[in-house]
Amino acid sequence: MLEALTAQPQDKILQLIALYRDDPRPTKIDLGVGVYKDATGLTPVMRAVKAAERKLWEEETTKTYTGLAGDPAFNAAMVGMILGDGFADRAASVATPGGTGAIRQALELIRMANPAAKVWLSAPTWPNHPSIVRYLGMPMAEYRYFDAATSGIDFAGLLADLEGVAAGDAVLLHGCCHNPTGANLSPAEWDQVIALLQRKGAVPFVDLAYQGFGDGLEEDAAATRKIAAAFPEVLIAASCSKNFGIYRERTGVLIALTSSDRRAVVQGNLAFLNRQNYSFPPDHGARLVTMILADTALTADWKQELEEVRQNMLTLRSALADELRRATNSDRFDFVAHHRGMFSRLGLTEAEVTSLRDAHGIYMVGDSRMNIAGLNATTVPVLASAIAKVIG
Ligand code: LMR
Protein backbone atom coordinates (compact mmCIF):
# COMPACT_ATOMS: atom_id res chain seq x y z
CA MET A 1 0.00 0.00 0.00
CA LEU A 2 2.54 2.56 1.11
CA GLU A 3 4.59 2.18 -2.07
CA ALA A 4 1.83 4.13 -3.79
CA LEU A 5 2.89 7.24 -1.92
CA THR A 6 5.00 9.85 -3.64
CA ALA A 7 7.24 12.42 -1.98
CA GLN A 8 5.49 15.54 -0.70
CA PRO A 9 6.88 18.98 -1.43
CA GLN A 10 8.75 20.35 1.55
CA ASP A 11 7.24 23.30 3.38
CA LYS A 12 9.32 26.26 2.23
CA ILE A 13 9.31 27.91 5.64
CA LEU A 14 10.05 24.84 7.77
CA GLN A 15 12.74 23.69 5.32
CA LEU A 16 14.79 26.73 6.29
CA ILE A 17 15.05 25.54 9.90
CA ALA A 18 17.18 22.53 8.86
CA LEU A 19 19.22 24.48 6.31
CA TYR A 20 20.06 27.07 8.95
CA ARG A 21 20.87 24.48 11.59
CA ASP A 22 23.29 22.69 9.27
CA ASP A 23 25.16 25.87 8.28
CA PRO A 24 28.47 25.83 10.22
CA ARG A 25 29.16 29.58 9.80
CA PRO A 26 29.12 31.28 13.24
CA THR A 27 27.98 34.55 11.64
CA LYS A 28 24.81 33.04 10.12
CA ILE A 29 21.55 34.94 10.64
CA ASP A 30 18.11 33.28 10.79
CA LEU A 31 15.30 35.45 9.41
CA GLY A 32 13.15 32.47 8.38
CA VAL A 33 10.40 30.90 10.46
CA GLY A 34 8.09 33.26 12.35
CA VAL A 35 9.37 32.87 15.87
CA TYR A 36 10.15 35.84 18.10
CA LYS A 37 13.74 36.12 19.26
CA ASP A 38 15.24 38.55 21.75
CA ALA A 39 18.49 40.42 21.18
CA THR A 40 20.50 37.35 22.21
CA GLY A 41 18.72 35.12 19.71
CA LEU A 42 16.64 33.30 22.32
CA THR A 43 12.90 32.69 22.19
CA PRO A 44 12.20 33.23 25.88
CA VAL A 45 9.39 31.73 27.95
CA MET A 46 7.40 34.83 28.92
CA ARG A 47 7.47 35.72 32.63
CA ALA A 48 3.72 35.34 33.12
CA VAL A 49 3.79 31.95 31.39
CA LYS A 50 6.55 30.74 33.72
CA ALA A 51 4.64 32.02 36.76
CA ALA A 52 1.44 30.32 35.60
CA GLU A 53 3.33 27.07 34.98
CA ARG A 54 4.75 27.15 38.50
CA LYS A 55 1.30 27.73 39.95
CA LEU A 56 -0.22 25.04 37.76
CA TRP A 57 2.41 22.52 38.86
CA GLU A 58 1.54 23.22 42.48
CA GLU A 59 -2.21 23.37 42.14
CA GLU A 60 -3.21 20.97 39.36
CA THR A 61 -4.82 17.88 40.84
CA THR A 62 -5.89 15.95 37.74
CA LYS A 63 -5.03 15.42 34.12
CA THR A 64 -8.37 13.90 33.22
CA TYR A 65 -10.06 14.97 29.99
CA THR A 66 -11.47 18.43 29.51
CA GLY A 67 -14.54 18.82 27.26
CA LEU A 68 -14.37 18.17 23.52
CA ALA A 69 -14.46 21.91 22.94
CA GLY A 70 -11.64 22.41 25.45
CA ASP A 71 -11.98 24.29 28.72
CA PRO A 72 -14.95 26.69 28.42
CA ALA A 73 -13.02 29.22 30.54
CA PHE A 74 -10.25 29.30 27.90
CA ASN A 75 -12.72 29.74 25.06
CA ALA A 76 -14.51 32.55 26.91
CA ALA A 77 -11.21 34.26 27.75
CA MET A 78 -10.15 34.13 24.10
CA VAL A 79 -13.50 35.45 22.86
CA GLY A 80 -13.06 38.32 25.33
CA MET A 81 -9.46 39.04 24.34
CA ILE A 82 -10.21 39.01 20.63
CA LEU A 83 -13.69 40.51 20.45
CA GLY A 84 -14.14 42.40 23.72
CA ASP A 85 -17.58 42.35 25.33
CA GLY A 86 -20.90 41.77 23.65
CA PHE A 87 -20.33 38.68 21.50
CA ALA A 88 -20.63 35.82 23.99
CA ASP A 89 -24.20 34.90 23.00
CA ARG A 90 -23.26 34.69 19.29
CA ALA A 91 -19.92 32.92 19.74
CA ALA A 92 -19.47 29.18 19.37
CA SER A 93 -15.85 28.28 20.11
CA VAL A 94 -13.44 25.38 20.43
CA ALA A 95 -9.87 25.09 21.56
CA THR A 96 -7.61 23.77 18.79
CA PRO A 97 -4.01 22.60 18.41
CA GLY A 98 -2.55 26.02 17.54
CA GLY A 99 -3.74 28.49 14.96
CA THR A 100 -3.18 25.93 12.21
CA GLY A 101 -5.61 23.58 13.96
CA ALA A 102 -8.18 26.38 14.07
CA ILE A 103 -7.73 27.05 10.35
CA ARG A 104 -8.10 23.39 9.53
CA GLN A 105 -11.27 23.07 11.65
CA ALA A 106 -12.73 26.26 10.16
CA LEU A 107 -12.20 24.96 6.64
CA GLU A 108 -13.79 21.63 7.53
CA LEU A 109 -16.75 23.48 9.04
CA ILE A 110 -17.15 25.51 5.84
CA ARG A 111 -16.97 22.34 3.74
CA MET A 112 -19.57 20.59 5.92
CA ALA A 113 -21.94 23.55 5.84
CA ASN A 114 -21.53 24.50 2.18
CA PRO A 115 -19.36 22.24 -0.02
CA ALA A 116 -19.76 24.67 -2.92
CA ALA A 117 -18.28 27.60 -0.97
CA LYS A 118 -15.11 28.93 -2.52
CA VAL A 119 -12.31 29.92 -0.19
CA TRP A 120 -10.73 33.21 -1.21
CA LEU A 121 -7.10 33.78 -0.23
CA SER A 122 -4.96 36.88 -0.52
CA ALA A 123 -2.15 36.74 -3.08
CA PRO A 124 0.22 36.13 -1.47
CA THR A 125 -0.73 34.47 1.79
CA TRP A 126 0.79 32.09 4.34
CA PRO A 127 1.69 29.09 2.14
CA ASN A 128 -0.07 26.65 4.46
CA HIS A 129 -3.44 28.30 3.70
CA PRO A 130 -3.67 27.12 0.08
CA SER A 131 -1.95 23.88 1.01
CA ILE A 132 -4.70 22.91 3.48
CA VAL A 133 -7.52 24.17 1.22
CA ARG A 134 -6.13 22.08 -1.63
CA TYR A 135 -5.65 19.06 0.63
CA LEU A 136 -9.30 19.28 1.63
CA GLY A 137 -10.30 19.46 -2.03
CA MET A 138 -12.17 22.73 -1.60
CA PRO A 139 -12.78 25.30 -4.34
CA MET A 140 -10.27 28.12 -4.00
CA ALA A 141 -9.72 31.56 -5.50
CA GLU A 142 -7.21 34.36 -4.99
CA TYR A 143 -7.60 38.09 -4.62
CA ARG A 144 -4.82 40.53 -5.34
CA TYR A 145 -3.34 42.03 -2.17
CA PHE A 146 0.28 43.10 -2.47
CA ASP A 147 1.69 45.66 -4.85
CA ALA A 148 5.31 44.64 -5.46
CA ALA A 149 6.11 48.05 -6.95
CA THR A 150 5.23 49.95 -3.75
CA SER A 151 5.49 47.09 -1.23
CA GLY A 152 2.06 48.28 -0.09
CA ILE A 153 -1.48 47.12 -0.79
CA ASP A 154 -2.84 46.72 -4.32
CA PHE A 155 -6.17 48.04 -3.13
CA ALA A 156 -7.74 48.57 -6.54
CA GLY A 157 -6.79 45.00 -7.49
CA LEU A 158 -8.15 43.67 -4.21
CA LEU A 159 -11.52 45.38 -4.68
CA ALA A 160 -11.75 44.31 -8.31
CA ASP A 161 -11.03 40.67 -7.48
CA LEU A 162 -13.38 40.51 -4.50
CA GLU A 163 -16.18 41.62 -6.83
CA GLY A 164 -16.04 38.00 -8.00
CA VAL A 165 -17.07 36.65 -4.57
CA ALA A 166 -20.36 34.74 -4.60
CA ALA A 167 -22.86 34.67 -1.74
CA GLY A 168 -21.70 32.13 0.84
CA ASP A 169 -18.04 32.15 -0.24
CA ALA A 170 -15.51 32.36 2.59
CA VAL A 171 -12.96 35.15 2.33
CA LEU A 172 -9.83 34.65 4.38
CA LEU A 173 -8.51 37.92 5.79
CA HIS A 174 -5.42 38.41 7.93
CA GLY A 175 -6.81 40.29 10.94
CA CYS A 176 -3.49 42.09 11.46
CA CYS A 177 0.22 41.73 10.63
CA HIS A 178 -0.22 40.21 7.15
CA ASN A 179 1.94 37.14 6.61
CA PRO A 180 4.11 37.14 4.46
CA THR A 181 4.07 40.77 3.30
CA GLY A 182 3.85 42.96 6.44
CA ALA A 183 1.55 45.33 4.48
CA ASN A 184 -1.80 45.95 6.15
CA LEU A 185 -5.11 47.60 5.30
CA SER A 186 -5.82 51.03 6.80
CA PRO A 187 -9.02 51.44 8.87
CA ALA A 188 -10.68 53.21 5.91
CA GLU A 189 -9.69 50.36 3.59
CA TRP A 190 -11.07 47.81 6.04
CA ASP A 191 -14.39 49.71 5.96
CA GLN A 192 -14.50 49.44 2.18
CA VAL A 193 -13.65 45.74 2.21
CA ILE A 194 -16.34 45.12 4.82
CA ALA A 195 -18.95 47.02 2.77
CA LEU A 196 -18.03 45.08 -0.37
CA LEU A 197 -18.15 41.70 1.36
CA GLN A 198 -21.48 42.59 3.01
CA ARG A 199 -22.88 43.44 -0.41
CA LYS A 200 -21.64 40.09 -1.72
CA GLY A 201 -23.04 38.03 1.16
CA ALA A 202 -19.59 36.63 1.93
CA VAL A 203 -18.56 34.85 5.12
CA PRO A 204 -15.41 36.51 6.48
CA PHE A 205 -12.82 34.09 7.80
CA VAL A 206 -10.24 35.93 9.89
CA ASP A 207 -6.80 34.50 10.62
CA LEU A 208 -5.51 36.27 13.73
CA ALA A 209 -2.10 34.82 14.52
CA TYR A 210 -0.24 37.96 15.59
CA GLN A 211 -2.54 39.96 17.87
CA GLY A 212 -0.30 42.29 19.87
CA PHE A 213 2.61 42.20 17.41
CA GLY A 214 1.47 45.08 15.17
CA ASP A 215 -0.03 48.25 16.64
CA GLY A 216 -1.02 46.88 20.07
CA LEU A 217 -3.23 44.21 21.58
CA GLU A 218 -6.49 46.17 21.22
CA GLU A 219 -5.54 47.92 17.98
CA ASP A 220 -4.68 44.62 16.29
CA ALA A 221 -8.16 43.29 17.07
CA ALA A 222 -9.95 46.38 15.73
CA ALA A 223 -10.59 45.06 12.21
CA THR A 224 -11.78 41.69 13.54
CA ARG A 225 -14.18 43.48 15.92
CA LYS A 226 -15.59 45.60 13.09
CA ILE A 227 -16.11 42.48 11.01
CA ALA A 228 -17.74 40.67 13.95
CA ALA A 229 -20.21 43.52 14.34
CA ALA A 230 -20.94 43.80 10.61
CA PHE A 231 -21.70 40.20 9.57
CA PRO A 232 -24.20 37.60 10.77
CA GLU A 233 -21.60 34.83 10.38
CA VAL A 234 -17.84 35.11 10.90
CA LEU A 235 -15.12 32.54 11.48
CA ILE A 236 -12.03 33.53 13.47
CA ALA A 237 -8.95 31.31 13.80
CA ALA A 238 -6.64 32.68 16.46
CA SER A 239 -3.27 31.54 17.76
CA CYS A 240 -1.57 31.96 21.14
CA SER A 241 1.77 30.76 19.73
CA LYS A 242 3.18 34.20 19.14
CA ASN A 243 1.57 36.59 21.62
CA PHE A 244 2.02 34.17 24.54
CA GLY A 245 5.22 32.66 23.11
CA ILE A 246 3.91 29.11 23.62
CA TYR A 247 4.59 27.82 20.12
CA ARG A 248 5.13 24.15 20.95
CA GLU A 249 2.15 23.93 23.31
CA ARG A 250 -0.16 24.19 20.28
CA THR A 251 -2.72 26.62 21.63
CA GLY A 252 -5.39 28.16 19.45
CA VAL A 253 -9.09 28.79 19.23
CA LEU A 254 -11.71 28.71 16.52
CA ILE A 255 -14.61 31.10 17.04
CA ALA A 256 -17.71 30.83 14.87
CA LEU A 257 -20.05 33.79 15.21
CA THR A 258 -23.63 33.04 14.34
CA SER A 259 -27.09 34.08 15.53
CA SER A 260 -27.78 33.36 19.19
CA ASP A 261 -30.43 30.77 18.31
CA ARG A 262 -28.01 28.86 16.02
CA ARG A 263 -25.16 28.98 18.52
CA ALA A 264 -25.83 25.62 20.19
CA VAL A 265 -25.98 23.72 16.87
CA VAL A 266 -22.79 25.38 15.62
CA GLN A 267 -21.09 24.65 18.95
CA GLY A 268 -22.10 21.00 18.63
CA ASN A 269 -20.62 20.83 15.14
CA LEU A 270 -17.34 22.32 16.32
CA ALA A 271 -17.13 19.75 19.13
CA PHE A 272 -17.99 17.01 16.60
CA LEU A 273 -15.12 18.12 14.36
CA ASN A 274 -12.71 18.04 17.29
CA ARG A 275 -13.88 14.49 18.07
CA GLN A 276 -13.37 13.34 14.48
CA ASN A 277 -9.92 14.81 14.17
CA TYR A 278 -8.24 14.40 17.55
CA SER A 279 -10.89 14.20 20.30
CA PHE A 280 -9.80 16.55 23.06
CA PRO A 281 -7.65 19.55 22.17
CA PRO A 282 -4.33 20.06 23.99
CA ASP A 283 -4.87 21.69 27.37
CA HIS A 284 -1.56 22.79 28.86
CA GLY A 285 -1.06 25.99 26.86
CA ALA A 286 -4.76 26.84 26.97
CA ARG A 287 -4.73 26.48 30.76
CA LEU A 288 -1.74 28.81 31.10
CA VAL A 289 -3.47 31.42 28.92
CA THR A 290 -6.64 31.11 30.98
CA MET A 291 -4.72 31.51 34.23
CA ILE A 292 -2.90 34.57 32.92
CA LEU A 293 -6.06 36.24 31.62
CA ALA A 294 -7.94 35.50 34.87
CA ASP A 295 -5.29 37.09 37.10
CA THR A 296 -4.92 40.88 37.08
CA ALA A 297 -1.24 40.88 38.03
CA LEU A 298 -0.29 38.16 35.53
CA THR A 299 -2.30 39.88 32.80
CA ALA A 300 -0.53 43.18 33.47
CA ASP A 301 2.90 41.53 33.40
CA TRP A 302 2.10 39.62 30.21
CA LYS A 303 0.81 42.75 28.49
CA GLN A 304 3.94 44.62 29.51
CA GLU A 305 6.25 41.93 28.14
CA LEU A 306 4.22 41.65 24.93
CA GLU A 307 4.48 45.40 24.51
CA GLU A 308 8.27 45.19 24.97
CA VAL A 309 8.36 42.53 22.24
CA ARG A 310 6.28 44.74 19.92
CA GLN A 311 8.40 47.83 20.61
CA ASN A 312 11.57 45.85 20.02
CA MET A 313 10.32 44.84 16.57
CA LEU A 314 9.37 48.46 15.78
CA THR A 315 12.83 49.65 16.81
CA LEU A 316 14.40 47.00 14.58
CA ARG A 317 12.15 48.09 11.69
CA SER A 318 13.25 51.74 11.92
CA ALA A 319 16.89 50.78 12.38
CA LEU A 320 16.79 48.47 9.35
CA ALA A 321 15.02 51.05 7.17
CA ASP A 322 17.68 53.64 8.15
CA GLU A 323 20.58 51.27 7.49
CA LEU A 324 19.14 50.20 4.14
CA ARG A 325 18.72 53.82 3.14
CA ARG A 326 22.40 54.40 3.92
CA ALA A 327 23.69 51.15 2.41
CA THR A 328 21.69 51.40 -0.84
CA ASN A 329 21.68 55.18 -1.02
CA SER A 330 17.97 55.01 -1.89
CA ASP A 331 14.54 55.01 -0.32
CA ARG A 332 13.68 51.66 -1.92
CA PHE A 333 13.30 49.92 1.45
CA ASP A 334 11.62 52.69 3.47
CA PHE A 335 8.47 50.56 3.60
CA VAL A 336 10.15 48.31 6.17
CA ALA A 337 9.50 50.99 8.80
CA HIS A 338 5.80 51.22 7.89
CA HIS A 339 5.04 47.51 7.71
CA ARG A 340 3.74 45.84 10.86
CA GLY A 341 4.14 42.46 12.52
CA MET A 342 7.00 40.00 12.34
CA PHE A 343 7.40 39.97 8.60
CA SER A 344 8.24 42.15 5.65
CA ARG A 345 8.50 40.99 2.10
CA LEU A 346 11.59 42.80 0.87
CA GLY A 347 11.00 42.51 -2.87
CA LEU A 348 14.24 40.68 -3.65
CA THR A 349 14.43 38.08 -6.40
CA GLU A 350 14.77 34.39 -5.57
CA ALA A 351 18.36 34.57 -6.87
CA GLU A 352 19.12 37.48 -4.54
CA VAL A 353 17.65 35.55 -1.60
CA THR A 354 19.84 32.58 -2.54
CA SER A 355 22.95 34.73 -2.67
CA LEU A 356 22.14 36.22 0.72
CA ARG A 357 22.12 32.66 2.01
CA ASP A 358 25.11 31.30 0.10
CA ALA A 359 27.44 34.28 0.28
CA HIS A 360 26.35 35.86 3.57
CA GLY A 361 24.74 33.10 5.66
CA ILE A 362 21.49 35.08 5.86
CA TYR A 363 18.35 32.94 5.75
CA MET A 364 14.93 34.17 4.66
CA VAL A 365 12.02 32.62 2.77
CA GLY A 366 12.49 32.42 -1.04
CA ASP A 367 9.86 35.10 -1.70
CA SER A 368 12.12 37.47 0.35
CA ARG A 369 9.92 37.38 3.46
CA MET A 370 12.12 38.20 6.43
CA ASN A 371 11.39 37.80 10.12
CA ILE A 372 12.22 41.18 11.68
CA ALA A 373 12.58 39.59 15.13
CA GLY A 374 15.51 37.50 13.88
CA LEU A 375 17.62 40.69 13.89
CA ASN A 376 19.41 42.60 16.64
CA ALA A 377 21.37 45.86 16.82
CA THR A 378 24.53 44.10 15.60
CA THR A 379 23.01 42.21 12.68
CA VAL A 380 20.89 45.09 11.28
CA PRO A 381 23.88 46.76 9.53
CA VAL A 382 25.22 43.35 8.46
CA LEU A 383 21.92 42.56 6.73
CA ALA A 384 21.67 46.01 5.15
CA SER A 385 25.15 45.83 3.66
CA ALA A 386 24.58 42.25 2.43
CA ILE A 387 21.35 43.34 0.71
CA ALA A 388 23.14 46.31 -0.87
CA LYS A 389 25.77 43.89 -2.22
CA VAL A 390 23.33 41.34 -3.65
CA ILE A 391 21.17 43.94 -5.40
CA GLY A 392 24.16 46.01 -6.53
C1 LMR B 1 5.51 31.32 9.86
O1 LMR B 1 4.79 31.76 8.96
O2 LMR B 1 6.76 31.35 9.80
C2 LMR B 1 4.88 30.76 11.10
O3 LMR B 1 3.52 30.91 11.05
C3 LMR B 1 5.32 29.39 11.38
C4 LMR B 1 4.73 28.38 10.46
O4 LMR B 1 4.13 27.43 10.97
O5 LMR B 1 4.87 28.51 9.24
Side-chain angles (χ1 to χ4, degrees), residues 22-45:
D22 297 342
D23 185 336
R25 286 173 287 188
T27 53
K28 63 187 175 179
I29 302 173
D30 177 14
L31 309 176
V33 69
V35 167
Y36 177 77
K37 292 186 200 147
D38 65 16
T40 68
L42 277 178
T43 302
V45 180

Side-chain angles (χ1 to χ4, degrees), residues 120 142-145 154-165 192-193 196 199-200:
W120 290 76
E142 279 191 335
Y143 59 92
R144 277 169 281 174
Y145 183 85
D154 177 1
F155 197 58
L158 176 150
L159 292 178
D161 290 349
L162 290 180
E163 282 294 339
V165 168
Q192 283 192 65
V193 171
L196 190 160
R199 179 158 56 76
K200 292 286 164 188

Side-chain angles (χ1 to χ4, degrees), residues 49-110:
V49 168
K50 236 354 183 198
E53 273 183 325
R54 236 177 261 121
K55 192 159 176 253
L56 183 62
W57 188 84
E58 279 161 9
E59 293 176 2
E60 190 173 51
T61 53
T62 180
K63 295 260 186 210
T64 189
Y65 292 124
T66 56
L68 270 184
D71 179 357
F74 168 71
N75 299 344
M78 290 301 288
V79 169
M81 184 177 101
I82 294 164
L83 295 175
D85 296 330
F87 289 94
D89 64 326
R90 289 182 54 207
S93 52
V94 276
T96 56
T100 308
I103 289 162
R104 170 66 186 262
Q105 299 295 69
L107 289 169
E108 292 207 31
L109 190 76
I110 294 166

Side-chain angles (χ1 to χ4, degrees), residues 323-377:
E323 283 293 339
L324 280 166
R325 193 175 255 260
R326 241 189 310 277
T328 65
N329 205 17
S330 79
D331 59 7
R332 170 174 166 184
F333 295 101
D334 281 7
F335 60 83
V336 170
H338 311 302
H339 281 174
R340 284 293 177 273
M342 291 193 99
F343 306 118
S344 270
R345 181 182 267 197
L346 293 178
L348 307 177
T349 63
E350 189 118 17
E352 287 163 350
V353 171
T354 306
S355 33
L356 278 177
R357 190 167 70 226
D358 294 348
H360 302 275
I362 296 171
Y363 288 74
M364 64 179 68
V365 185
D367 66 357
S368 74
R369 183 195 87 168
M370 65 162 297
N371 173 11
I372 290 289
L375 290 169
N376 59 40

Side-chain angles (χ1 to χ4, degrees), residues 13-14 32-34 126 179 210 242 343 369:
I13 298 173
L14 302 184
V33 69
W126 184 51
N179 178 8
Y210 297 91
K242 319 282 167 29
F343 306 118
R369 183 195 87 168

